[in-house]
Structures are given as C-alpha cells and as structure tokens.
Amino acid sequence: MTDGELRAALHGLEVFAGLTEDQLDWLVSVSEPRVLPDGAVLFRDGDEAREFHVLLSGGLVVTKVVDGREEVLTRHSTEEETAEEHDGKPAAAHRFTGELPLLTEGNYVATAAASGPATTVVAYSKPAFFEMLTRCHGVAAVLIPVLAWRIKSSEVQARKRATVEALGTLAAGLAHELNNPAAAVARAAQELGPALDRLTRTAQAWGAAAGGAERPVLDRLADELDKVPPPATTDPLAQADAEEEIADWAEEAGAEQPGLLGAGIADLGLELDWLRDRLAGVGEPARPAALDHLAALLETRALAAELRAAGPRISQLVAATRDYANLDRAPEQRFAVTDGLENTLVVLRAKLAGITIVRAYEPDLPEMTGYPSELNQVWTNLVDNAAEAMEGAGVLTLRARTEGGCMVVEVADTGRGIPEESLPRIFEPFYTTKDVGKGTGLGLHLSYRIVTQRHHGSLTARSRPGETRMIVRLPIG
C-alpha cells in the first residue's frame, strides 16, 4: 500500500475524517500497516497494551476466556454501516480497537484475531497514539462516545454474566446443601416401611411373651427414652465400644436384632449398664421379645427424627434461597443486612468448606432501605474473592456495625493479600489481579457501582499479606 493509498483510506474513516492535510501527512508518517491472514492474533488478553489499531479492510473478532469458556465479545468489520449507530453502537466503533487499555495504562482485556483472508490494520504505537490525541483534536471527539459505549456495553455484559454466575452458584450451592437432607428423607422413606413391619411383628411377639407385671417395664423404658436428650458431643470410639457391648449382650440373651439394638442405644449416648437396670423387671423367657421390640421401636423413632430434622432444613434452605434472590418482593425495601450475609454463606457453603467463619455482628442492628438483591451480589463477590484468596483454608470474618449514621460491613480474610501496587486500582473496570481466563476485571467494579451509585455508600479496601479487609459503608436511611 502506497502512502497515497493509505492517506486516502485513513481520510475515509470517521475517526480521521476531520483532519487537515498536515495532520493526515503526520498520521501517515507514524502508521504501521499490517496484512493479517485469517485467524492471526493481533493482540492477546493480558498482554501489555502497546498499540492502537485501526481496521482498514476485512474483520476482527474479539474474544475473552472466562472460567474456561471462550466468549465472543464483539466483531469489527468494514462491511458494517458507517453512517449510523447500529443497536446503540457508534458507527466508528467497529473500525478501531485498543484505545481503552492505552488510556487506562493497563493490559489488553481480550484477544483480537483476524476474521477473513484479507484483513488489513494500521497500528499506532503508544507514544504515537497519545501524540495523535494532542495533534488531532477531532480524533478525541470520535473516541469519547465510543469509549463510553464500550464501557457501558462491557458493564451490561458483566451484569448479565454476573447474574448467570449468581444463578449457577445459587443452584450449585442449593443442590449441595439439599443433598444431605434430601438423601435423609429418601433413605428414611425407604426404610420406614420395613421398620414399621418389624415394629408390628415385635409388638405382637412382646405382647404374647410378656406377663402382666412385665408389660409396664417396656412402657416406662419407652417413655424415658423420649426424654433422653441427644448427646452434645460424641466419642466415636466410645460409642462403637458401647454399641458392640450391647449387641453382644443382646445376642446372648436371644435377640434376633442385636446390632439394631446396640446402634439405637449407643446413638443416644447410653451404655449397657443403663439398659440392664431398666430391663431388670423382665424375666429371661420374655427378654428376647422385649429386646427385639425395643430395637424396632428405637429404629422407627430414629427414622421419624430424621424426617423431622430434614423437613425444616429443606424449608430453611428454600427460604434462604428465596431471600438471597429476593423473589416476590419490591426492588427497594427495608431489610436486615445480616440476613443477606447469612444467605450468602448458605449459597457459598460448598466453596467455604475448610474455611473457618467468624461472625462479629453488633447486636440490635437497625434495618436499612435499599436493594438487597443487588447487595447480595456484592456480598457474594466479596466472600467469593476472599475464599479464592485463602485457597480453601483460613479464616473468613464478617463484621457488621453502625457508625455515624451508616451501616458498616467488613469482609476480612487471611489470604495472600492484594499487592500494594494493585490496591489503588482494584475497583477500576477491567482491572484484575487474577490469572488470564479467571476473571473479567468487572466484579469489584460492579460491586463498587452498586454500593456507591445505587446506595450512595462507599467501598474501600485495606490489605497486607495475611489480612485483607473490604469495607462497605451504607447510609442507613
């Protein structure tokens, strides 16, 4: 391409349309035309931003890998219309790229590759780009609305992605938490039928074997078992020894289900001597029937207790999920900030396994007015980042207190900390300290906007190795 052809091509672009002859001459002198074969990479996500690129012919596809998945962010093509906006996109936006990371002194936040066999771009070095803005004032007038659109578009995409990720996290967390109570219900339901059959059969055998003075002994024992509280702590070895000792004794006495009886008594934290004392009034001929009926009774009650415990647990999980998503509620409402924190812990419980959680909530905290579903995105982002920083082991501390008419919430972790040079920039759009492909650089930025713009509060960070604190201040209102 000759200088004359390049000059004509550049002059035909909206971004350079208003330049003078002298400005065009200078622009051609600092231009670096390149022809890219199909699929050739122009720049990669995470690389230091060094150039501003203008598309003369062909196309570019801009992609980003997020959590292992490659997403197409946008496509640039010389075949798109140039006179009008398309779906809100400024017409000039599809003809240049790379300006945002240059202006923010950052790295490229996506990967751009040629799309088509005849893609021609013109590269401008970083010094040339900034001199361009100084020499050619009309360029800035075109760049600014494109920048505004790109930032807004990225935030919209990030919000959609955050919503999808939040729903995925919510579904995964709910599935994980529901697994135990649901499995308990399924197991209890499966075993309850045979257990009731055993209870009926052993009741009949006990009724036939027991004398008039013996029947009240088992009735009193059953009443006493109803009042035995579950042990606060258990020693697995001691419990196993007690279970084995009771089972051996019951087998010697002629019981058909000695293991079932041993497990039922030991689970309550009781021992053989306790059982012997209560059955002293039952003679040896009736003792096998008494032991088998007692075992069946304990089994049935244990299954019923599992069902009683699982039902409320499932209800609590569903309630936490509903509150986390704020279903069937007005967007702005009165709410307790600690409810959102607790529901977030429920949703992220699987990710917090192995992490010690410390709650430091000031008593009698007032309710506040705001958008709890949006704040739940903030809590999720902060807690999730803290969990990643601790790599599965450490202490997560949640604090909530009132201070000067504000609700102050702190999320603290004992992870690796944020590098000192990165700390001032963590709330900037597209800035991330995570490895390429593991973050968009918009999570903290969106959290910052939710706190500062939607709730007129503040979000700040303090960090050193072994202690990072994210501090949210919200007007109580």
Side-chain angles (χ1 to χ4, degrees), residues 17 44 107 109 125 132 167 170 181 187 205 217 300 313 327 330 348 351 356 363 377 428 445 456-457 469 472:
R44 294 187 183 277
N107 298 334
V109 296
S125 67
M132 181 194 304
L167 289 173
L170 186 62
R187 186 180 68 83
V217 174
T300 305
R313 178 59 181 154
L327 300 177
L348 295 177
K351 198 162 190 175
T356 301
Q377 293 183 37
E428 293 179 9
H445 173 66
H456 310 292
R469 288 193 293 158
V472 178

Side-chain angles (χ1 to χ4, degrees), residues 45-204:
D45 187 6
D47 288 349
E48 181 183 353
R50 297 178 181 272
E51 295 177 328
F52 172 62
H53 299 97
V54 177
L55 180 63
L56 293 185
S57 65
L60 294 171
V61 59
V62 181
T63 61
K64 185 173 183 66
V65 176
V66 180
D67 296 330
R69 302 186 307 274
E70 185 177 51
E71 299 181 7
V72 176
L73 301 183
T74 187
R75 296 179 186 274
H76 302 291
S77 173
T78 55
E79 297 179 359
E80 295 188 34
E81 64 269 36
T82 59
E84 299 178 355
E85 292 188 357
H86 178 60
D87 294 333
K89 179 180 180 180
H94 63 272
R95 298 303 292 268
F96 58 82
T97 186
E99 77 288 346
L100 183 58
L102 287 176
L103 290 169
T104 58
E105 297 289 330
N107 298 334
Y108 292 116
V109 296
T111 297
S115 176
T119 297
T120 303
V121 299
V122 180
Y124 296 93
S125 67
K126 187 174 182 179
F129 172 70
F130 281 102
E131 187 173 352
M132 181 194 304
L133 297 180
T134 303
R135 281 176 173 260
C136 313
H137 297 151
V139 172
V142 178
L143 280 179
I144 289 172
V146 172
L147 278 170
W149 172 81
R150 281 183 175 155
I151 291 174
K152 181 179 178 181
S153 177
S154 296
E155 288 184 350
V156 169
Q157 290 179 351
R159 282 184 178 274
K160 291 179 179 178
R161 188 183 296 113
T163 300
V164 172
E165 289 176 354
L167 289 173
T169 300
L170 186 62
L174 184 61
H176 181 273
E177 289 302 308
L178 282 174
N179 184 59
N180 287 339
V185 168
R187 186 180 68 83
Q190 184 178 9
E191 296 181 3
L192 196 55
L196 288 173
D197 290 341
R198 278 192 291 274
L199 182 64
T200 302
R201 187 174 64 255
T202 58
Q204 293 172 344

Side-chain angles (χ1 to χ4, degrees), residues 294-318:
L294 180 59
L297 184 63
L298 288 169
E299 179 189 23
T300 305
R301 290 184 176 184
L303 292 172
E306 285 187 30
L307 290 172
R308 283 196 303 271
R313 178 59 181 154
I314 292 174
S315 298
Q316 289 170 4
L317 290 169
V318 172

Side-chain angles (χ1 to χ4, degrees), residues 313 338-339 341-347 349 352 355-363 365 395-400 410 412:
R313 178 59 181 154
T338 52
D339 288 346
L341 294 171
E342 289 301 312
N343 292 332
T344 299
L345 293 178
V346 170
V347 170
R349 192 191 302 270
L352 297 172
I355 293 174
T356 301
I357 298 173
V358 176
R359 297 167 174 84
Y361 302 152
E362 187 178 273
L365 287 171
V395 179
L396 173 70
T397 303
L398 301 181
R399 299 184 179 93
E410 291 187 15

